[in-house]
Amino acid sequence: MVKEAVGIGDTIEKAKEDACKKLGVESYEAEFEVLELPVKKTLGLFGGSPAKVRAYIETSPADAAVAYLRSIFSCMGVSNVEFKVQEEENGALISIQGEDIGFIIGHRGETLDSLQYLAGLVSNHVDNTYYRITLDIGNYREKRMETLTILGKKMAAKALRIGRNFSLEPMNPYERRIIHTAVQDIEGAKSWSEGEDLARHVVIGPVEGERAPRGRRGPQGGGNANRRHPYEKLPANRGGNNQGGRAPRNFNEGSAAAPATPIRARVQDEPLTNKSEHKGPLYGKIEVHK
């Protein structure tokens, strides 16, 4: 992309200075084209015309990104910052160097990622084409890549050993690609992305899917779904006293269910002399009066 401006002045030098001022660059950064030479007035009163000079600079997407970052750092009070641009295919890697600029990275690179995103938007407006900007400070990207690669392989091995899926924390697309690449090196493991927007994250699991936990068999597996665990606590008042528990069982199993309305009973105690001779109820005769 070419940026240009036309400067006017009594002399060519003054016209160049005017054009550079309009472009916002120094004279050594621009190229010049003289459009009109100055013409002096006749007798110092009539005619005459100023000089016209065209100043232009060729701005690349990376240069536009660097200029934007300089303005941002200036507003943040960061000075003495150097930018090293390394051109890549359809993009550029911009390394930032300076003193006490580690805070620009932010928590897990969040601030650096935000600046990278904004600089990418500026660079894409230069030629209206996709141009990828990558920012780096103190080899942070390389160190982060190593950390994520180790994490991806470690979680893939764990997923195969246990037979379960594991979800990682939300990451940006660049870091998710690193995880996917690392998991591909582990045979039998796979990875995919879930979630939307800022909550999108990587899930790692076995290719064959999750295994059922040991010792748990469902109704279709031949086991009893309602089988009680050996250490499961028994229900309260089971087979014992009926204080606050379920309704008591009728002594005569063959009789009809007890009525819902309460009844009054009178018990006549009879001494039990011999168990073998006793044929009546265990606790005596019961007469029911409704």
Side-chain angles (χ1 to χ4, degrees):
M1 180 178 181
V2 178
K3 295 178 63 177
E4 62 179 21
V6 176
I8 301 175
D10 296 337
T11 63
I12 294 178
E13 293 300 326
K14 290 184 178 180
K16 288 182 178 180
E17 292 178 1
D18 183 56
C20 290
K21 185 178 180 180
K22 292 179 179 178
L23 282 178
V25 297
E26 299 294 336
S27 58
Y28 63 86
E29 297 178 317
E31 300 291 335
F32 300 98
E33 179 185 359
V34 178
L35 302 178
E36 295 182 10
L37 293 172
V39 177
K40 293 182 179 181
K41 295 181 180 180
T42 305
L43 301 175
L45 297 174
F46 305 102
S49 61
K52 289 185 179 180
V53 176
R54 171 177 170 264
Y56 62 93
I57 58 174
E58 294 184 1
T59 303
S60 66
D63 293 335
V66 170
Y68 172 77
L69 292 173
R70 287 187 185 277
S71 63
I72 293 295
F73 291 163
S74 178
C75 295
M76 296 173 64
V78 179
S79 58
N80 299 327
V81 180
E82 296 181 0
F83 298 90
K84 182 180 179 181
V85 179
Q86 180 180 350
E87 293 287 344
E88 298 177 345
E89 184 179 0
N90 297 327
L93 171 63
I94 302 178
S95 300
I96 307 173
Q97 300 176 354
E99 297 181 358
D100 299 330
I101 59 174
F103 71 94
I104 297 177
I105 298 176
H107 177 65
R108 293 183 179 175
E110 292 180 352
T111 305
L112 188 63
D113 290 339
S114 299
L115 291 174
Q116 177 176 288
Y117 174 75
L118 295 175
L121 293 180
V122 173
S123 64
N124 288 334
H125 279 80
V126 174
D127 294 328
N128 292 325
T129 57
Y130 176 74
Y131 193 86
R132 181 178 177 180
I133 294 293
T134 304
L135 299 185
D136 192 10
I137 297 179
N139 294 329
Y140 169 78
R141 296 297 184 188
E142 182 178 355
K143 296 176 183 177
R144 181 66 172 167
M145 179 182 296
E146 294 178 357
T147 301
L148 293 177
T149 301
I150 295 174
L151 175 64
K153 293 182 178 180
K154 180 179 179 181
M155 297 307 296
K158 184 176 181 180
L160 291 177
R161 185 175 67 257
I162 301 179
R164 298 289 302 277
N165 297 337
F166 292 95
S167 298
L168 304 184
E169 62 183 10
M171 299 179 185
N172 57 43
Y174 170 74
E175 294 185 340
R176 293 200 301 270
R177 284 194 295 269
I178 296 176
I179 295 293
H180 292 315
T181 302
V183 174
Q184 290 177 358
D185 295 338
I186 306 300
E187 185 178 357
K190 65 178 180 178
S191 62
W192 64 95
S193 297
E194 294 183 355
E196 300 294 338
D197 300 330
L198 298 179
R200 195 159 181 80
H201 59 278
V202 176
V203 182
I204 302 175
V207 174
E208 298 179 354
E210 292 186 294
R211 296 196 302 265
R214 294 183 177 180
R216 295 184 181 181
R217 302 176 59 188
Q220 297 179 356
N224 186 358
N226 297 323
R227 181 179 298 173
R228 182 176 59 85
H229 190 275
Y231 296 99
E232 183 179 352
K233 186 178 180 180
L234 290 173
N237 301 321
R238 182 173 179 177
N241 194 355
N242 184 44
Q243 296 180 0
R246 63 179 67 179
R249 180 176 299 178
N250 196 334
F251 289 109
N252 189 357
E253 296 291 341
S255 62
T261 56
I263 60 175
R264 289 166 34 182
R266 184 179 61 185
V267 179
Q268 296 180 355
D269 296 333
E270 297 180 0
L272 183 61
T273 57
N274 191 346
K275 293 183 179 181
S276 60
E277 297 178 358
H278 187 76
K279 299 181 180 181
L282 180 62
Y283 297 104
K285 183 179 180 182
I286 301 178
E287 294 182 2
V288 179
H289 300 278
K290 295 185 178 179

